[in-house]
Amino acid sequence: MEFGLDTFGDVTVGEDGKPLPYAQVIRNVVEQAVLADRVGVDAFGVGEHHRDDYAISSPEIVLAAIAAKTERVKLGTAVTVLSSDDPVRVFERFATLDAVSGGRSEIILGRGSFTESFPLFGFDLTDYEQLFSEKLDLMSHLLTEEPVTWQGSVRPPLKDQQVYPKTESGRIHASIGVGGSPESVVRAAQYGLPLVLAIIGGEPARFAPYVDLYHRALKELDQPEQPVSVHCPGFVAETDEEAIEVLWPHARRMLDRLGRERGWPRTSKDRFVADITEGAWHVGSPETVARKIASTVQALGIQRFDLKYAHGTLPHDRLMTCVELYGTQVIPRVRELLA
């Protein structure tokens, strides 16, 4: 069982309540990752976004900076938006990260939950499904590190093409991130890639049928068994009350902005607390969060749990405390509960 932390590099506020510069946010993310490595967190993931409320648009560069200052933590993405990128360049960048990190790089391949990268890089949203399907197919060939012959409609074909650098192990660890559609789950099984479920709403246990579907599909497609991971939002403080009171105003602004963009209703504190007690949010004291993580792990039979710990403008010092508590208290307690 592995335990990770994920962040999108949310633009946080300083002591004066004003947003920090993007450069400082990125440096703070590096500092948070260094702490995660020191306190025993197994993996650290950074997301890719191209909008004003997130600072990280080039995850591999941030991860390379982290690699230079850490020793053991795995370094990955949450997620790489493959649809609007070139699979060859994705492979090259992560193979390079794998080299500088001593084999610690990971890729979570996905579509992402935002669409800003499509117009930014000249892609048509009407090609949403085709772009991901074809690029994932090409990526599956590249991951073998053998000469690639491939043809599709979304990029020029390749004929017996080698791609460099090769990795020392012969394979980059790559997974497919999905939001919970059966088609996406089966597609991960078709390519024999590990599954990462992004559970951002609702009771985690309700995703058990997707885990079952994935394992059944692997078996029916004669693919070897693969691990399943879960990515959930959460936050750790000394007490339950402190965690909710600190997190709520920052989460409210973040959720209300997303609501305005997507037509969701405004979030009430009662609804937010309900999402903590009954839904996907893993928030509270170390004991409370550990017990909820253990419950999620047992309900789904997963091999890794990643906590998305940064939310909106939540300040850096609070994030550092969360990282420390997660590594020093939550993870050991979950291991005790699962033993």
Side-chain angles (χ1 to χ4, degrees):
M1 186 70 204
E2 292 185 329
F3 299 91
L5 287 168
D6 291 338
T7 176
F8 298 162
D10 306 57
V11 175
T12 57
V13 295
E15 294 181 0
D16 59 1
K18 296 180 180 179
L20 293 177
Y22 294 109
Q24 185 61 55
V25 172
I26 291 171
R27 289 192 290 268
N28 287 347
V29 168
V30 174
E31 186 178 350
Q32 293 155 24
V34 171
L35 177 59
D37 182 65
R38 190 164 69 241
V39 298
V41 177
D42 297 309
F44 193 85
V46 299
E48 173 196 345
H49 294 86
H50 305 269
R51 44 186 285 141
D52 64 352
D53 45 347
Y54 300 115
I56 298 174
S57 59
S58 300
E60 305 89 342
I61 296 177
V62 178
L63 293 170
I66 295 169
K69 297 185 175 185
T70 56
E71 296 179 356
R72 46 166 298 281
V73 68
K74 295 180 180 179
L75 303 170
T77 54
V79 299
T80 292
V81 185
L82 189 63
S83 306
S84 56
D85 211 330
D86 183 271
V88 173
R89 291 294 289 147
V90 171
F91 175 87
E92 290 175 338
R93 296 195 301 263
F94 275 91
T96 303
L97 173 64
D98 202 66
V100 300
S101 66
R104 291 185 281 143
S105 74
E106 301 182 327
I107 318 173
I108 299 179
L109 304 164
R111 309 172 199 242
S113 58
F114 297 96
T115 59
E116 286 81 1
S117 63
F118 284 79
L120 182 63
F121 298 115
F123 294 103
D124 193 330
L125 273 171
T126 60
D127 299 326
Y128 185 82
E129 175 63 29
Q130 185 177 13
L131 283 165
F132 185 72
S133 296
E134 289 195 15
K135 291 183 177 185
L136 179 60
D137 186 66
L138 173 55
M139 194 72 201
S140 71
H141 289 77
L142 294 165
L143 289 171
T144 68
E145 302 195 20
E146 298 292 335
V148 175
T149 297
W150 180 91
Q151 185 169 348
S153 63
V154 298
R155 76 173 311 280
L158 299 174
K159 183 174 176 59
D160 200 29
Q161 183 69 56
Q162 294 275 8
V163 181
Y164 301 99
K166 308 295 185 183
T167 65
E168 289 179 308
S169 67
R171 180 87 177 187
I172 297 173
H173 186 276
S175 306
I176 296 182
V178 305
S181 76
E183 295 80 8
S184 296
V185 170
V186 171
R187 177 157 44 200
Q190 288 173 333
Y191 286 105
L193 291 174
L195 179 71
V196 180
L197 281 169
I199 302 178
I200 59 176
E203 184 182 2
R206 73 183 179 88
F207 284 78
Y210 294 107
V211 178
D212 293 339
L213 172 62
Y214 175 66
H215 288 305
R216 283 190 286 109
L218 285 171
K219 185 175 182 179
E220 292 176 11
L221 293 164
D222 200 26
Q223 295 280 13
E225 278 297 311
Q226 298 289 350
V228 177
S229 304
V230 159
H231 157 110
C232 287
F235 179 67
V236 191
E238 292 291 346
T239 67
D240 292 349
E241 295 77 12
E242 180 185 5
I244 293 172
E245 291 307 311
V246 168
L247 176 60
W248 163 240
H250 304 281
R252 180 189 62 205
R253 287 192 290 269
M254 176 189 71
L255 294 169
D256 284 348
R257 171 171 176 167
L258 294 177
R260 288 192 299 271
E261 294 173 357
R262 302 182 181 190
W264 302 340
R266 289 176 63 87
T267 304
S268 69
K269 188 173 182 180
D270 287 345
R271 177 66 261 174
F272 182 65
V273 172
D275 284 340
I276 292 171
T277 56
E278 303 170 6
W281 286 76
H282 293 61
V283 174
S285 68
E287 179 68 18
T288 296
V289 174
R291 288 189 174 277
K292 185 159 186 177
I293 291 174
S295 176
T296 296
V297 171
Q298 291 169 330
L300 300 179
I302 56 176
Q303 287 70 52
R304 178 159 139 186
F305 179 92
D306 287 352
L307 185 78
K308 200 276 187 180
Y309 70 97
H311 307 284
T313 53
L314 197 60
H316 173 58
D317 62 337
R318 288 292 187 174
L319 297 177
M320 290 289 281
T321 299
C322 175
V323 170
E324 183 168 10
L325 291 173
Y326 183 71
T328 61
Q329 296 188 39
V330 174
I331 291 175
R333 181 61 176 139
V334 177
R335 294 193 189 282
E336 288 179 359
L337 293 168
L338 295 176

